[in-house]
Amino acid sequence: VSTQSTGFQHGTTSGRRVILVDGKEVRNTGWQFKLVGKESFLIGKHRACIIIEANGLNYTYILEVDGKSLKRFVENRKKVCRTWIPRVAGKPHRVVLEKDSLNV
């Protein structure tokens, strides 16, 4: 299990959608008529989805991971995993133990 960063760009006039994972472009829709909807992609082995909704002149963006809101996904991971960040040779390293399978 690792920490990943996700970026999203939404052209509110062109409909263009760009998704970045760890700074690398993983999806680019280009120009399209539809300004709202869903964009699916992978974050490591997890299925992710950005839901774009219009609220008048504003947009709402929701990130789901494995079919759960980001908040619920993080809460669930905290229940099933134990994480340590020891320093080895002065550098931090993340160690994750999955409680159900005892995988490190």
Side-chain angles (χ1 to χ4, degrees):
V1 177
S2 62
T3 301
Q4 315 230 218
S5 69
T6 303
F8 179 64
Q9 300 169 7
H10 180 216
T12 56
T13 54
S14 68
R16 180 174 182 251
R17 300 169 192 170
V18 178
I19 298 173
L20 306 162
V21 176
D22 293 332
K24 295 179 185 161
E25 190 175 291
V26 296
R27 186 155 175 84
N28 186 336
T29 63
W31 192 90
Q32 57 184 6
F33 288 108
K34 196 169 156 188
L35 299 177
V36 296
K38 294 182 180 184
E39 291 298 329
S40 298
F41 59 102
L42 290 174
I43 301 175
K45 64 179 181 176
H46 300 281
R47 288 226 31 90
C49 179
I50 295 176
I51 302 167
I52 307 159
E53 298 174 340
N55 298 320
L57 296 175
N58 298 314
Y59 290 90
T60 301
Y61 305 95
I62 302 166
L63 176 61
E64 291 184 346
V65 182
D66 290 340
K68 300 177 183 108
S69 69
L70 180 60
K71 181 180 177 182
R72 290 206 55 207
F73 175 78
V74 170
E75 288 170 354
N76 186 54
R77 291 298 292 169
K78 286 180 180 179
K79 289 178 187 175
V80 300
C81 294
R82 179 75 172 112
T83 304
W84 298 268
I85 304 178
R87 294 186 80 73
V88 179
K91 295 183 179 180
H93 294 272
R94 181 181 300 264
V95 178
V96 179
L97 173 68
E98 291 188 10
K99 294 177 185 177
D100 57 346
S101 64
L102 298 180
N103 286 334
V104 177

